[in-house]
Each structure stands twice: as structure tokens, then as C-alpha cells.
Amino acid sequence: MPLTRQEVRVVALAKLRLAPGQIFWDLGTGTGAVAVEAARLLRPEGKVYAVERDLKRVAVARANASRWELGNLAILEGEAPEVLLSLPSPHRVFVGGSGGKLGPILKVVGERLLPGGRVAITGVTLDTLWEAYRWADTSGWEAELLGMTLVRGEKVGSRCLLKGGNPIFLVVAEKPGEGR
């Protein structure tokens, strides 16, 4: 089951610049790891809406959320971008998965994100990375592209073997205008 690695969550949430009272969308929430972290940072005034289309992942995300007793986190079963139309407009958006619908999702995000809002999109494929960056750039938004490769040490006998993971990329964009 997909899980956004802790280090990637930390960087993404830092780049999103969360502040008290904000509305946060986590799209393609998977296990809910990003949504839980965001809800913990935004509580009690902020509200997190985590959207996932896969029923098994929704169940895992709900179980993870219930462990933290977060009253400001709603795990929603549904398909983006359709389910987004019924949510309050966000200050911040994290796109962890798109189910192949990144273009339509970003269109709705672009329309609904409040002025001064920020979006972070993860990508592990060149296609996702290019589509996300091109969208932000052609929208006239200030965009940043980050690449991360995590290396972990694994003890093998008396030595430490360094094991690298696949790179992951973030496209972070800010919508023009005043925001918080």
C-alpha cells in the first residue's frame, strides 16, 4: 500500500507552509499519512479533507486517522476531481496520487484554490513531473521543482550498507494573490 515516506512528508508540508485555520486537501491520500500529519499541525481550527478512491486504502486511512483521534480530519471515499466540487475551497493542496487524472484534478485545484494558496504534487514518473510543472508554469504561478533521493543505512554484520531508494519529485506552486 503506497505510503509517502516520512522525509517526503516533512519536506512537502514545510513547502506548503501550513498555518492555523487553513483548509487542506490531500488528494490520493493512500494510507492517510500526509492527511494525519497535516491534521495534527492544523488542529484544532484547520480542517483536512483526504480523498481516496480505493476502498481498501480508505479503510486503512480511516484506521490510521482514528488512532490519532483527529476531529479535524475527514477521510472521503470518492473520485477526484468530481468529489472536490462539494468541498470548501482550500488554502493548501497535496496531490499524492491522481489515478491518471492529473490534468482534470489540477484544473479543479487551479479554480478552487484560494488566492495565495499553495499546492504540492508528488511525482515518481517523468510524465507526472512534466505535467505538474507545465501546469504550474503555464498557469502563471510561481513554481518550484525539487528532487529527493533517500539513502538509508542498513547494518550488515559490523558494517553499514547504504541503500538508495527511487527518486521522488515535488512540484510546489503558489497561486498569485493574497493568502494566508
Side-chain angles (χ1 to χ4, degrees), residues 35-112:
V36 166
E37 298 261 358
R40 291 178 65 212
L41 291 168
L42 291 173
R43 82 170 152 194
E45 311 88 26
K47 183 73 175 171
V48 175
Y49 297 91
V51 177
E52 178 55 58
R53 66 184 182 151
D54 182 278
L55 286 173
K56 290 180 184 174
R57 293 177 185 171
V58 168
V60 171
R62 285 183 175 150
N64 287 339
S66 71
R67 271 182 257 174
W68 292 97
E69 298 178 4
L70 297 163
N72 65 335
L73 171 56
I75 308 286
L76 307 172
E77 176 198 336
E79 188 84 28
E82 294 81 13
V83 73
L84 306 179
L85 302 176
S86 64
L87 299 180
S89 293
H91 300 91
R92 302 292 186 259
V93 176
F94 177 79
V95 182
S98 66
K101 295 184 175 182
L102 186 59
I105 289 169
L106 292 178
K107 182 180 185 310
V108 172
V109 167
E111 293 167 355
R112 299 286 314 280

Side-chain angles (χ1 to χ4, degrees), residues 1 8 14 49 61 65 93 114 139 147 157 160-161 174:
M1 186 143 316
V8 175
Y49 297 91
V93 176
L114 295 169
S139 298
C160 182
L161 177 65
E174 184 171 320

